[in-house]
Amino acid sequence: MMVPTYSELIKELYPLYQQEPARFMRFYNAVYKKLFSIQEGEVLRIADHCSKKTMGMFIKVASLFIIEDTCRKNVTDDLLEFSDDYTTIRKCYKFVPSRPYRKGVKSI
């Protein structure tokens, strides 16, 4: 499965939004709240939170969230990622350096 780009996801989801905006936004917000509540190191099994019928849309909305979340954070922050088979989403641990980064200061 190729990882879709942000614009590809929008092209697929926007027509669904146009058909029934209120219903789509309820689903969209529920997915966002669920993903936002995952703590570092936790894993979310997608099948536990949606039916087979809505799993494709859940994955697309989750992909949007992951792209947007990654753009807002630093590389060392806790980030969400899919498993290789797209059945789970986990939140990676935040990287904490063993000593503070000091820009422009060289050690002797």
Side-chain angles (χ1 to χ4, degrees):
M1 179 180 204
M2 286 282 299
V3 178
T5 64
Y6 190 80
S7 59
E8 291 171 344
L9 291 167
I10 294 295
K11 283 179 187 175
E12 290 181 41
L13 292 173
Y14 191 67
L16 297 173
Y17 168 78
Q18 289 178 317
Q19 288 175 4
E20 294 185 63
R23 183 177 178 199
F24 179 83
M25 288 311 295
R26 278 194 310 273
F27 184 82
Y28 181 86
N29 289 333
V31 173
Y32 262 56
K33 287 178 186 177
K34 181 57 65 183
L35 296 176
F36 196 73
S37 69
I38 301 172
Q39 299 297 313
E40 283 185 32
E42 284 186 351
V43 176
L44 175 105
R45 281 191 68 235
I46 295 171
D48 293 345
H49 300 280
C50 63
S51 66
K52 286 188 178 191
K53 183 179 176 183
T54 60
M55 190 174 292
M57 194 159 90
F58 185 100
I59 290 172
K60 289 174 187 172
V61 172
S63 296
L64 277 180
F65 180 88
I66 291 171
I67 291 170
E68 292 170 357
D69 195 45
T70 303
C71 290
R72 282 193 298 266
K73 293 184 172 183
N74 291 322
V75 175
T76 57
D77 287 344
D78 53 340
L79 300 172
L80 291 170
E81 67 180 10
F82 280 104
S83 61
D84 291 338
D85 60 357
Y86 283 80
T87 58
T88 61
I89 300 172
R90 78 178 177 107
K91 188 170 243 180
C92 301
Y93 287 99
K94 180 177 182 175
F95 173 75
V96 180
S98 58
R99 62 182 183 156
Y101 175 72
R102 293 178 290 172
K103 188 175 182 178
V105 178
K106 295 182 180 181
S107 57
I108 299 175

